Amino acid sequence: MELSFKHQLGLVCVILLFPALCSCQEYYTKSRASFYGSPDGYGVSSGACGFGEYGRMVNNGIVAAVSGRLWRNGAACGTCYQVRCKIAEYCNANGANVVVTDYGEGDRTDFILSPRALEQLGRNNASEKLKKYGVLDIEYKRVPCRYPGNVLFHVKESSNNPGYFAVILLNVNGKYDVTAVELWRKERRQWEPLRRVYGAVFDFANPPEGELSLRFQVTYPKGYTDWVYPKTPIPAYWKPGATYDTKIQLN
């Protein structure tokens, strides 16, 4: 069947506009990266996200600190980026997929890489040669994370049942930013916001007694937001340092 000129024109417009409308369109951003050292090559447990030991070991220690323009008031914590360096003779074509666990500023850098992340950048064990550059020209793009298992609630060690509650969300797929966490007040029949203390740490002073029902807000790259409701509440006997399974996955 032959299309009319009007339909042909409409089809051309759709073809031309599709790349701009499609959320799967991805581009690399040019930048710079440096690196830090650690005794065993993993990340550090003192990162600004507040992840603790999880921040040192997640993604097999292939982690990074990001600068202010990527930090997004801590919403960058737990997100993932593909980082590729630009020295053809030393750099791996696929680069490294890093998890953000810290904040850090360098010499016009967007990333400060852990030793294991730097190893992933180089090909044929070229990380020692890359170190001599100090700062590397790179390109990067945001990518989904490959976390195993469900989203987790980790209760910060600074919490104290029942007087003070602080929590971190772990294993959130890196396509989203966690921009808010709220707690259901049964006696008031309303959701109340937790405060973002720093990084990925949210807290609530004097939480209600009994089990705690939380929800968290995710923001998509295009700015669209949605609330996610875990399938199970945090039990009334919650303890500092404990981790609780939400029974949900974000794909």
Side-chain angles (χ1 to χ4, degrees):
M1 181 177 67
E2 186 175 349
L3 295 176
S4 68
F5 175 75
K6 180 179 179 180
H7 287 137
Q8 292 177 27
L9 181 60
L11 181 61
V12 170
C13 290
V14 169
I15 293 172
L16 291 175
L17 288 173
F18 182 76
L21 296 174
C22 180
S23 60
C24 61
Q25 192 76 24
E26 294 178 327
Y27 301 96
Y28 286 95
T29 299
K30 296 185 184 301
S31 184
R32 287 152 56 91
S34 59
F35 55 90
Y36 62 86
S38 66
D40 56 6
Y42 287 88
V44 295
S45 59
S46 58
C49 287
F51 285 148
E53 187 66 11
Y54 173 92
R56 196 176 78 83
M57 301 296 295
V58 67
N59 198 34
N60 197 30
I62 302 172
V63 299
V66 294
S67 68
R69 81 167 169 168
L70 295 181
W71 179 243
R72 302 189 302 281
N73 193 35
C77 293
T79 58
C80 297
Y81 290 87
Q82 182 185 8
V83 179
R84 305 191 303 196
C85 60
K86 304 298 293 178
I87 306 171
E89 58 196 298
Y90 299 138
C91 294
N92 176 1
N94 293 322
N97 282 13
V98 302
V99 176
V100 177
T101 60
D102 202 356
Y103 173 89
E105 296 286 353
D107 179 11
R108 293 173 289 125
T109 60
D110 277 321
F111 292 87
I112 303 178
L113 305 170
S114 71
R116 284 178 174 253
L118 183 67
E119 287 177 7
Q120 288 288 308
L121 283 189
R123 61 183 178 88
N124 300 325
N125 299 315
S127 59
E128 290 300 319
K129 295 176 181 177
L130 292 177
K131 284 182 182 178
K132 294 179 180 179
Y133 285 82
V135 178
L136 300 170
D137 289 326
I138 63 160
E139 59 183 14
Y140 69 87
K141 67 177 179 179
R142 188 165 174 176
V143 295
C145 297
R146 300 186 180 94
Y147 293 127
N150 299 325
V151 178
L152 304 173
F153 283 132
H154 178 74
V155 181
K156 285 290 289 181
E157 288 71 11
S158 57
S159 301
N160 179 23
N161 193 347
Y164 176 71
F165 176 72
V167 69
I168 298 177
L169 278 70
L170 307 179
N171 292 359
V172 178
N173 188 295
K175 290 187 292 187
Y176 320 104
D177 286 349
V178 175
T179 48
V181 180
E182 293 187 342
L183 182 150
W184 176 249
R185 297 299 297 263
K186 185 176 180 180
E187 73 281 9
R188 301 179 184 177
R189 300 191 60 80
Q190 66 183 28
W191 291 97
E192 295 189 1
L194 276 69
R195 176 184 62 135
R196 187 190 287 272
V197 188
Y198 63 91
V201 181
F202 296 83
D203 75 352
F204 196 98
N206 300 313
E209 296 183 3
E211 63 184 24
L212 303 178
S213 295
L214 301 180
R215 68 177 183 175
F216 57 95
Q217 185 182 60
V218 294
T219 300
Y220 299 83
K222 295 291 186 179
Y224 170 72
T225 62
D226 196 10
W227 287 99
V228 177
Y229 295 80
K231 295 181 179 180
T232 57
I234 294 176
Y237 51 84
W238 59 265
K239 297 179 180 179
T243 301
Y244 300 99
D245 194 335
T246 66
K247 303 295 178 64
I248 60 171
Q249 286 186 331
L250 295 177
N251 298 317

